[in-house]
Amino acid sequence: MKSGLEVHYQILTEKKLFCRCPAGLYSDHHDAEVLRHMRPTLSELGEYDGTALMEFKTKKNVIYLLNRESVCTYEMDDTPPFPINQKALDIAIEIALMLNCKIVGEVHVSRKQYLDGSIPTGFQRTAIVGVDGWVPYKNRKIGIIQLALEEDACREVSDVGHTITFRTDRLSMPLVEVVTAADMKTPDEVAEVGYIIGDILRVTGKVRRGIGTVRQDVNVSIEGGTRVEIKGVPRIPLFPALVYNEALRQHNLLKIRDFMRQKFSSREEIKGDIFDLSNIQNRIRHRLVKKAISKRGATLRGVALRGINGLLMMPTQPGLTFAHEISERLRVIACLDQLPNLLHTEDLSVAGLEPADLSLIGKAINLREGDTGVITWGTADDTQTAVQEIIIRVQEAYDGVQNETRQARRDGLTDFERILPGPDRMYPDTDSPPTAIAPERVERIRKLLPRPPWLLQKEFEKKGIPVQWAKCLAVHSDRGLFERITNRNDVNPKLVAWVFVELSKHLRRRGVPVDNLKPEHWDRFGELIAQKRIYREGWPLLISYMAEHPQEDPEDFLAAQNITPLNSEMLAKTVAGIAEKHRGTKLYDEENWPTVLMGQVMRELRGRAPGALIWETVKQQSR
């Protein structure tokens, strides 16, 4: 087995890549809709791309929801592209250098066909920025084939039948695509390399964070198979299961190939006869078929697959059979998305056809020994497409593993998405002039490169920061603020790391607007804790106040809330007073009195003294 990655990260710019609309302005509101139909076009070599032909068969109505604040006529292909966003290009160069790539001397924009509707133009504008790089992994290097700068696609809202709907706010946002060599040999290695690449990109501080800002495509092949792309995997923890199950699927498809070649000497010998079963459809007893015919007016068609009995029940993925491969083709290409969308005569389980149905269908399609019958239902046009796809997919089984793009499922299995695009989908964009990259520009960016995340982690560990915090801090979006506070003030780096790694996360969950804090607020925070004007126990109160009142002086808050530090003498008097106040109440418990008193003191002092010092004072008071 071997595997490679294509990692897509949105980068942090104010504007989109080929227009001047704002980037990152998401909204569920739309001001207008556009309806489009996609049609394939010939490449410059006079050939059609296989994926484009497949998408055309789906006959999709593509609806785009437009928000006037986030799109313009460029996104709708009514205006030529603006010059490429130079800030985005600088970020792409920086990331390419971090990946040890060689920077191209001139950036040429190409068009990459996408007829699934996710881009209204029918193509994505993309440009290679760096090539021939590598990242360190254990005792070897993982090759980076290229880094490209490209525009993002739309957000899918729904896909039902022949209608697919997209929001266009994400469209044309700049992103980088990192393409690795197929150098990973195990499922776990794919995940580990994915984390390394993600950390390198995040350490720049110039990629977007959050759901939907990063997507990974995983390429898998085994000996005797071919490249299959698992598209748009959102989370790296899914990688091992997906890679393992895809390798297993290809292994089983090779077994199926051998099974077919024992029966047939060539692909052309594999035959399927198509039947219109409208004359018997009202006599079918299967509940799902009856419901589709009676309530939706479905049409029933059947296929007699000659001499392939046993094929549809052969396993592919865990818990799935070759029948699932066919069913997924029908879901995508024939738009039969009400599952199940087929039944076949090899399935003798409770969910399959009843004996009376088997007999009825067998006679209607002239089923002979060694044949398999398949039925499908839907509109007349969709079922006509479906029965043709059934025969095509069975014939493809003779060839083994097909070049496909597949969808990732949460359970680690995959479903068919489309035929894998070929080289005919790429061609030059004559609307975009080349952009020269001067050596001086590259060197200027190289001098400002951040340290690699693994070196940052080691530096933080040397400062006494725990390994997991150090690893998180190395790629943290506020790493610069951490270094600013610890470099300017005599403070404990471990405690400041706790603020950024743990406390800030906790406060955000409570609704505190921590992102309101600017560098000058953090500078003031660093000064106050360095001067021991407030102890750790009071930090959450101080940070919350500064975030919610960014214009106010935190000194006023310290005074008003009476959380200025207490010296040892005042602390002892205060603890004695709290103890005396509660000693005669129901809170008093002689056996657990130190713990009870500690809780009361911590509640009343609210960070005016370190917790360890308070505990020592409480123990002395309890004697």
Side-chain angles (χ1 to χ4, degrees), residues 500-525:
F500 287 100
V501 176
E502 299 291 348
L503 179 59
S504 294
K505 187 191 306 181
H506 170 70
L507 293 176
R508 283 188 179 94
R509 287 173 180 166
R510 285 176 42 197
V512 177
V514 178
D515 296 329
N516 285 350
L517 295 173
K518 294 182 170 52
E520 54 267 28
H521 294 114
W522 289 110
D523 287 343
R524 192 75 181 103
F525 172 74

PDB file of all heavy atoms in Angstrom, residues 500-525:
ATOM      1  N   PHE A 500      -2.980  30.791  27.851  1.00  0.00           N
ATOM      2  CA  PHE A 500      -3.314  30.720  26.429  1.00  0.00           C
ATOM      3  C   PHE A 500      -3.843  29.353  26.001  1.00  0.00           C
ATOM      4  O   PHE A 500      -4.703  29.265  25.124  1.00  0.00           O
ATOM      5  CB  PHE A 500      -2.089  31.097  25.597  1.00  0.00           C
ATOM      6  CG  PHE A 500      -1.768  32.557  25.642  1.00  0.00           C
ATOM      7  CD1 PHE A 500      -0.763  33.040  26.465  1.00  0.00           C
ATOM      8  CD2 PHE A 500      -2.496  33.470  24.899  1.00  0.00           C
ATOM      9  CE1 PHE A 500      -0.476  34.388  26.530  1.00  0.00           C
ATOM     10  CE2 PHE A 500      -2.228  34.821  24.955  1.00  0.00           C
ATOM     11  CZ  PHE A 500      -1.214  35.288  25.774  1.00  0.00           C
ATOM     12  N   VAL A 501      -3.340  28.290  26.613  1.00  0.00           N
ATOM     13  CA  VAL A 501      -3.739  26.942  26.188  1.00  0.00           C
ATOM     14  C   VAL A 501      -5.034  26.496  26.853  1.00  0.00           C
ATOM     15  O   VAL A 501      -5.898  25.896  26.205  1.00  0.00           O
ATOM     16  CB  VAL A 501      -2.605  25.930  26.474  1.00  0.00           C
ATOM     17  CG1 VAL A 501      -3.045  24.509  26.115  1.00  0.00           C
ATOM     18  CG2 VAL A 501      -1.355  26.298  25.683  1.00  0.00           C
ATOM     19  N   GLU A 502      -5.192  26.787  28.136  1.00  0.00           N
ATOM     20  CA  GLU A 502      -6.337  26.265  28.886  1.00  0.00           C
ATOM     21  C   GLU A 502      -7.341  27.352  29.288  1.00  0.00           C
ATOM     22  O   GLU A 502      -8.536  27.238  29.008  1.00  0.00           O
ATOM     23  CB  GLU A 502      -5.850  25.528  30.144  1.00  0.00           C
ATOM     24  CG  GLU A 502      -4.948  24.334  29.865  1.00  0.00           C
ATOM     25  CD  GLU A 502      -5.685  23.176  29.224  1.00  0.00           C
ATOM     26  OE1 GLU A 502      -6.934  23.187  29.201  1.00  0.00           O
ATOM     27  OE2 GLU A 502      -5.008  22.255  28.739  1.00  0.00           O
ATOM     28  N   LEU A 503      -6.856  28.403  29.946  1.00  0.00           N
ATOM     29  CA  LEU A 503      -7.775  29.398  30.506  1.00  0.00           C
ATOM     30  C   LEU A 503      -8.568  30.126  29.415  1.00  0.00           C
ATOM     31  O   LEU A 503      -9.783  30.304  29.542  1.00  0.00           O
ATOM     32  CB  LEU A 503      -6.999  30.401  31.364  1.00  0.00           C
ATOM     33  CG  LEU A 503      -7.839  31.521  31.996  1.00  0.00           C
ATOM     34  CD1 LEU A 503      -8.930  30.934  32.894  1.00  0.00           C
ATOM     35  CD2 LEU A 503      -6.951  32.486  32.786  1.00  0.00           C
ATOM     36  N   SER A 504      -7.903  30.551  28.342  1.00  0.00           N
ATOM     37  CA  SER A 504      -8.603  31.269  27.275  1.00  0.00           C
ATOM     38  C   SER A 504      -9.708  30.409  26.661  1.00  0.00           C
ATOM     39  O   SER A 504     -10.815  30.892  26.385  1.00  0.00           O
ATOM     40  CB  SER A 504      -7.614  31.703  26.189  1.00  0.00           C
ATOM     41  OG  SER A 504      -6.706  32.655  26.688  1.00  0.00           O
ATOM     42  N   LYS A 505      -9.411  29.128  26.490  1.00  0.00           N
ATOM     43  CA  LYS A 505     -10.416  28.202  25.948  1.00  0.00           C
ATOM     44  C   LYS A 505     -11.611  28.098  26.889  1.00  0.00           C
ATOM     45  O   LYS A 505     -12.772  28.127  26.453  1.00  0.00           O
ATOM     46  CB  LYS A 505      -9.770  26.823  25.749  1.00  0.00           C
ATOM     47  CG  LYS A 505     -10.650  25.815  25.036  1.00  0.00           C
ATOM     48  CD  LYS A 505     -10.055  24.413  25.128  1.00  0.00           C
ATOM     49  CE  LYS A 505      -8.636  24.353  24.641  1.00  0.00           C
ATOM     50  NZ  LYS A 505      -8.072  22.981  24.714  1.00  0.00           N
ATOM     51  N   HIS A 506     -11.329  27.994  28.190  1.00  0.00           N
ATOM     52  CA  HIS A 506     -12.398  27.898  29.198  1.00  0.00           C
ATOM     53  C   HIS A 506     -13.255  29.163  29.209  1.00  0.00           C
ATOM     54  O   HIS A 506     -14.491  29.091  29.249  1.00  0.00           O
ATOM     55  CB  HIS A 506     -11.768  27.666  30.571  1.00  0.00           C
ATOM     56  CG  HIS A 506     -12.726  27.790  31.718  1.00  0.00           C
ATOM     57  ND1 HIS A 506     -13.721  26.865  31.959  1.00  0.00           N
ATOM     58  CD2 HIS A 506     -12.852  28.755  32.678  1.00  0.00           C
ATOM     59  CE1 HIS A 506     -14.417  27.240  33.026  1.00  0.00           C
ATOM     60  NE2 HIS A 506     -13.912  28.377  33.474  1.00  0.00           N
ATOM     61  N   LEU A 507     -12.612  30.320  29.135  1.00  0.00           N
ATOM     62  CA  LEU A 507     -13.358  31.583  29.173  1.00  0.00           C
ATOM     63  C   LEU A 507     -14.220  31.751  27.925  1.00  0.00           C
ATOM     64  O   LEU A 507     -15.346  32.249  27.996  1.00  0.00           O
ATOM     65  CB  LEU A 507     -12.391  32.756  29.313  1.00  0.00           C
ATOM     66  CG  LEU A 507     -11.634  32.840  30.660  1.00  0.00           C
ATOM     67  CD1 LEU A 507     -10.642  33.992  30.636  1.00  0.00           C
ATOM     68  CD2 LEU A 507     -12.612  32.998  31.823  1.00  0.00           C
ATOM     69  N   ARG A 508     -13.708  31.339  26.767  1.00  0.00           N
ATOM     70  CA  ARG A 508     -14.511  31.435  25.533  1.00  0.00           C
ATOM     71  C   ARG A 508     -15.763  30.580  25.648  1.00  0.00           C
ATOM     72  O   ARG A 508     -16.841  30.973  25.194  1.00  0.00           O
ATOM     73  CB  ARG A 508     -13.671  30.987  24.335  1.00  0.00           C
ATOM     74  CG  ARG A 508     -12.654  32.016  23.855  1.00  0.00           C
ATOM     75  CD  ARG A 508     -12.009  31.579  22.550  1.00  0.00           C
ATOM     76  NE  ARG A 508     -11.042  32.564  22.073  1.00  0.00           N
ATOM     77  CZ  ARG A 508      -9.740  32.509  22.326  1.00  0.00           C
ATOM     78  NH1 ARG A 508      -9.249  31.505  23.053  1.00  0.00           N
ATOM     79  NH2 ARG A 508      -8.932  33.440  21.853  1.00  0.00           N
ATOM     80  N   ARG A 509     -15.624  29.391  26.231  1.00  0.00           N
ATOM     81  CA  ARG A 509     -16.790  28.516  26.398  1.00  0.00           C
ATOM     82  C   ARG A 509     -17.838  29.146  27.301  1.00  0.00           C
ATOM     83  O   ARG A 509     -19.023  28.875  27.157  1.00  0.00           O
ATOM     84  CB  ARG A 509     -16.345  27.169  26.964  1.00  0.00           C
ATOM     85  CG  ARG A 509     -15.611  26.287  25.949  1.00  0.00           C
ATOM     86  CD  ARG A 509     -15.066  25.053  26.608  1.00  0.00           C
ATOM     87  NE  ARG A 509     -14.354  24.194  25.662  1.00  0.00           N
ATOM     88  CZ  ARG A 509     -13.565  23.197  26.007  1.00  0.00           C
ATOM     89  NH1 ARG A 509     -13.369  22.913  27.297  1.00  0.00           N
ATOM     90  NH2 ARG A 509     -12.960  22.461  25.085  1.00  0.00           N
ATOM     91  N   ARG A 510     -17.393  29.982  28.227  1.00  0.00           N
ATOM     92  CA  ARG A 510     -18.323  30.679  29.119  1.00  0.00           C
ATOM     93  C   ARG A 510     -18.882  31.944  28.484  1.00  0.00           C
ATOM     94  O   ARG A 510     -19.667  32.660  29.107  1.00  0.00           O
ATOM     95  CB  ARG A 510     -17.607  31.039  30.423  1.00  0.00           C
ATOM     96  CG  ARG A 510     -17.401  29.852  31.353  1.00  0.00           C
ATOM     97  CD  ARG A 510     -16.604  30.253  32.572  1.00  0.00           C
ATOM     98  NE  ARG A 510     -17.025  31.553  33.095  1.00  0.00           N
ATOM     99  CZ  ARG A 510     -16.304  32.279  33.943  1.00  0.00           C
ATOM    100  NH1 ARG A 510     -15.120  31.831  34.338  1.00  0.00           N
ATOM    101  NH2 ARG A 510     -16.750  33.432  34.381  1.00  0.00           N
ATOM    102  N   GLY A 511     -18.475  32.239  27.250  1.00  0.00           N
ATOM    103  CA  GLY A 511     -19.005  33.409  26.561  1.00  0.00           C
ATOM    104  C   GLY A 511     -18.199  34.674  26.734  1.00  0.00           C
ATOM    105  O   GLY A 511     -18.631  35.750  26.308  1.00  0.00           O
ATOM    106  N   VAL A 512     -17.026  34.582  27.344  1.00  0.00           N
ATOM    107  CA  VAL A 512     -16.174  35.769  27.508  1.00  0.00           C
ATOM    108  C   VAL A 512     -15.538  36.109  26.159  1.00  0.00           C
ATOM    109  O   VAL A 512     -14.913  35.247  25.537  1.00  0.00           O
ATOM    110  CB  VAL A 512     -15.079  35.522  28.567  1.00  0.00           C
ATOM    111  CG1 VAL A 512     -14.149  36.727  28.670  1.00  0.00           C
ATOM    112  CG2 VAL A 512     -15.709  35.210  29.922  1.00  0.00           C
ATOM    113  N   PRO A 513     -15.650  37.354  25.678  1.00  0.00           N
ATOM    114  CA  PRO A 513     -15.099  37.721  24.357  1.00  0.00           C
ATOM    115  C   PRO A 513     -13.584  37.932  24.401  1.00  0.00           C
ATOM    116  O   PRO A 513     -13.085  39.061  24.226  1.00  0.00           O
ATOM    117  CB  PRO A 513     -15.851  39.006  24.017  1.00  0.00           C
ATOM    118  CG  PRO A 513     -16.157  39.625  25.343  1.00  0.00           C
ATOM    119  CD  PRO A 513     -16.396  38.476  26.291  1.00  0.00           C
ATOM    120  N   VAL A 514     -12.845  36.866  24.615  1.00  0.00           N
ATOM    121  CA  VAL A 514     -11.390  36.957  24.767  1.00  0.00           C
ATOM    122  C   VAL A 514     -10.740  37.569  23.534  1.00  0.00           C
ATOM    123  O   VAL A 514      -9.701  38.241  23.625  1.00  0.00           O
ATOM    124  CB  VAL A 514     -10.806  35.553  25.057  1.00  0.00           C
ATOM    125  CG1 VAL A 514      -9.289  35.599  25.168  1.00  0.00           C
ATOM    126  CG2 VAL A 514     -11.403  34.987  26.342  1.00  0.00           C
ATOM    127  N   ASP A 515     -11.346  37.356  22.350  1.00  0.00           N
ATOM    128  CA  ASP A 515     -10.757  37.875  21.115  1.00  0.00           C
ATOM    129  C   ASP A 515     -10.782  39.399  21.052  1.00  0.00           C
ATOM    130  O   ASP A 515     -10.164  39.985  20.152  1.00  0.00           O
ATOM    131  CB  ASP A 515     -11.481  37.286  19.897  1.00  0.00           C
ATOM    132  CG  ASP A 515     -11.309  35.769  19.815  1.00  0.00           C
ATOM    133  OD1 ASP A 515     -10.254  35.296  20.263  1.00  0.00           O
ATOM    134  OD2 ASP A 515     -12.215  35.083  19.319  1.00  0.00           O
ATOM    135  N   ASN A 516     -11.503  40.048  21.975  1.00  0.00           N
ATOM    136  CA  ASN A 516     -11.488  41.521  22.035  1.00  0.00           C
ATOM    137  C   ASN A 516     -10.148  42.061  22.512  1.00  0.00           C
ATOM    138  O   ASN A 516      -9.831  43.232  22.312  1.00  0.00           O
ATOM    139  CB  ASN A 516     -12.582  42.041  22.971  1.00  0.00           C
ATOM    140  CG  ASN A 516     -13.963  41.938  22.359  1.00  0.00           C
ATOM    141  OD1 ASN A 516     -14.098  41.660  21.172  1.00  0.00           O
ATOM    142  ND2 ASN A 516     -14.992  42.156  23.162  1.00  0.00           N
ATOM    143  N   LEU A 517      -9.363  41.212  23.172  1.00  0.00           N
ATOM    144  CA  LEU A 517      -8.098  41.666  23.762  1.00  0.00           C
ATOM    145  C   LEU A 517      -7.071  41.919  22.671  1.00  0.00           C
ATOM    146  O   LEU A 517      -6.800  41.067  21.839  1.00  0.00           O
ATOM    147  CB  LEU A 517      -7.580  40.623  24.751  1.00  0.00           C
ATOM    148  CG  LEU A 517      -8.453  40.394  25.989  1.00  0.00           C
ATOM    149  CD1 LEU A 517      -7.935  39.228  26.795  1.00  0.00           C
ATOM    150  CD2 LEU A 517      -8.502  41.652  26.843  1.00  0.00           C
ATOM    151  N   LYS A 518      -6.456  43.094  22.718  1.00  0.00           N
ATOM    152  CA  LYS A 518      -5.422  43.479  21.760  1.00  0.00           C
ATOM    153  C   LYS A 518      -4.054  43.332  22.428  1.00  0.00           C
ATOM    154  O   LYS A 518      -3.957  43.159  23.656  1.00  0.00           O
ATOM    155  CB  LYS A 518      -5.663  44.913  21.291  1.00  0.00           C
ATOM    156  CG  LYS A 518      -6.950  45.065  20.472  1.00  0.00           C
ATOM    157  CD  LYS A 518      -7.124  46.485  19.989  1.00  0.00           C
ATOM    158  CE  LYS A 518      -8.263  46.587  18.979  1.00  0.00           C
ATOM    159  NZ  LYS A 518      -9.529  46.005  19.439  1.00  0.00           N
ATOM    160  N   PRO A 519      -2.967  43.418  21.653  1.00  0.00           N
ATOM    161  CA  PRO A 519      -1.628  43.260  22.247  1.00  0.00           C
ATOM    162  C   PRO A 519      -1.384  44.178  23.440  1.00  0.00           C
ATOM    163  O   PRO A 519      -0.739  43.767  24.421  1.00  0.00           O
ATOM    164  CB  PRO A 519      -0.697  43.594  21.071  1.00  0.00           C
ATOM    165  CG  PRO A 519      -1.460  43.168  19.862  1.00  0.00           C
ATOM    166  CD  PRO A 519      -2.891  43.486  20.178  1.00  0.00           C
ATOM    167  N   GLU A 520      -1.907  45.414  23.378  1.00  0.00           N
ATOM    168  CA  GLU A 520      -1.680  46.324  24.516  1.00  0.00           C
ATOM    169  C   GLU A 520      -2.367  45.842  25.790  1.00  0.00           C
ATOM    170  O   GLU A 520      -1.878  46.087  26.903  1.00  0.00           O
ATOM    171  CB  GLU A 520      -2.146  47.748  24.183  1.00  0.00           C
ATOM    172  CG  GLU A 520      -3.580  47.860  23.705  1.00  0.00           C
ATOM    173  CD  GLU A 520      -3.720  47.816  22.192  1.00  0.00           C
ATOM    174  OE1 GLU A 520      -2.859  47.190  21.543  1.00  0.00           O
ATOM    175  OE2 GLU A 520      -4.690  48.406  21.679  1.00  0.00           O
ATOM    176  N   HIS A 521      -3.500  45.140  25.655  1.00  0.00           N
ATOM    177  CA  HIS A 521      -4.154  44.570  26.848  1.00  0.00           C
ATOM    178  C   HIS A 521      -3.283  43.475  27.449  1.00  0.00           C
ATOM    179  O   HIS A 521      -3.143  43.376  28.680  1.00  0.00           O
ATOM    180  CB  HIS A 521      -5.526  44.003  26.481  1.00  0.00           C
ATOM    181  CG  HIS A 521      -6.514  45.043  26.050  1.00  0.00           C
ATOM    182  ND1 HIS A 521      -7.016  45.106  24.780  1.00  0.00           N
ATOM    183  CD2 HIS A 521      -7.088  46.086  26.733  1.00  0.00           C
ATOM    184  CE1 HIS A 521      -7.862  46.119  24.678  1.00  0.00           C
ATOM    185  NE2 HIS A 521      -7.919  46.732  25.853  1.00  0.00           N
ATOM    186  N   TRP A 522      -2.726  42.630  26.586  1.00  0.00           N
ATOM    187  CA  TRP A 522      -1.868  41.548  27.084  1.00  0.00           C
ATOM    188  C   TRP A 522      -0.582  42.112  27.699  1.00  0.00           C
ATOM    189  O   TRP A 522      -0.038  41.552  28.661  1.00  0.00           O
ATOM    190  CB  TRP A 522      -1.552  40.560  25.968  1.00  0.00           C
ATOM    191  CG  TRP A 522      -2.735  39.727  25.570  1.00  0.00           C
ATOM    192  CD1 TRP A 522      -3.440  39.779  24.421  1.00  0.00           C
ATOM    193  CD2 TRP A 522      -3.352  38.695  26.358  1.00  0.00           C
ATOM    194  NE1 TRP A 522      -4.453  38.864  24.417  1.00  0.00           N
ATOM    195  CE2 TRP A 522      -4.428  38.182  25.606  1.00  0.00           C
ATOM    196  CE3 TRP A 522      -3.109  38.166  27.630  1.00  0.00           C
ATOM    197  CZ2 TRP A 522      -5.250  37.162  26.078  1.00  0.00           C
ATOM    198  CZ3 TRP A 522      -3.928  37.151  28.102  1.00  0.00           C
ATOM    199  CH2 TRP A 522      -4.980  36.661  27.326  1.00  0.00           C
ATOM    200  N   ASP A 523      -0.082  43.228  27.136  1.00  0.00           N
ATOM    201  CA  ASP A 523       1.090  43.877  27.734  1.00  0.00           C
ATOM    202  C   ASP A 523       0.780  44.307  29.172  1.00  0.00           C
ATOM    203  O   ASP A 523       1.589  44.101  30.090  1.00  0.00           O
ATOM    204  CB  ASP A 523       1.495  45.113  26.920  1.00  0.00           C
ATOM    205  CG  ASP A 523       2.137  44.750  25.589  1.00  0.00           C
ATOM    206  OD1 ASP A 523       2.554  43.587  25.434  1.00  0.00           O
ATOM    207  OD2 ASP A 523       2.208  45.629  24.705  1.00  0.00           O
ATOM    208  N   ARG A 524      -0.389  44.891  29.369  1.00  0.00           N
ATOM    209  CA  ARG A 524      -0.788  45.346  30.714  1.00  0.00           C
ATOM    210  C   ARG A 524      -0.965  44.157  31.644  1.00  0.00           C
ATOM    211  O   ARG A 524      -0.570  44.206  32.816  1.00  0.00           O
ATOM    212  CB  ARG A 524      -2.107  46.125  30.607  1.00  0.00           C
ATOM    213  CG  ARG A 524      -2.448  46.880  31.873  1.00  0.00           C
ATOM    214  CD  ARG A 524      -1.572  48.122  31.992  1.00  0.00           C
ATOM    215  NE  ARG A 524      -1.869  48.856  33.224  1.00  0.00           N
ATOM    216  CZ  ARG A 524      -1.102  48.817  34.303  1.00  0.00           C
ATOM    217  NH1 ARG A 524       0.021  48.103  34.321  1.00  0.00           N
ATOM    218  NH2 ARG A 524      -1.412  49.523  35.369  1.00  0.00           N
ATOM    219  N   PHE A 525      -1.545  43.078  31.119  1.00  0.00           N
ATOM    220  CA  PHE A 525      -1.711  41.857  31.915  1.00  0.00           C
ATOM    221  C   PHE A 525      -0.343  41.346  32.368  1.00  0.00           C
ATOM    222  O   PHE A 525      -0.142  40.988  33.539  1.00  0.00           O
ATOM    223  CB  PHE A 525      -2.437  40.800  31.086  1.00  0.00           C
ATOM    224  CG  PHE A 525      -2.497  39.445  31.723  1.00  0.00           C
ATOM    225  CD1 PHE A 525      -3.351  39.191  32.789  1.00  0.00           C
ATOM    226  CD2 PHE A 525      -1.684  38.407  31.273  1.00  0.00           C
ATOM    227  CE1 PHE A 525      -3.405  37.946  33.387  1.00  0.00           C
ATOM    228  CE2 PHE A 525      -1.734  37.161  31.863  1.00  0.00           C
ATOM    229  CZ  PHE A 525      -2.588  36.924  32.916  1.00  0.00           C
TER     230      PHE A 525
END
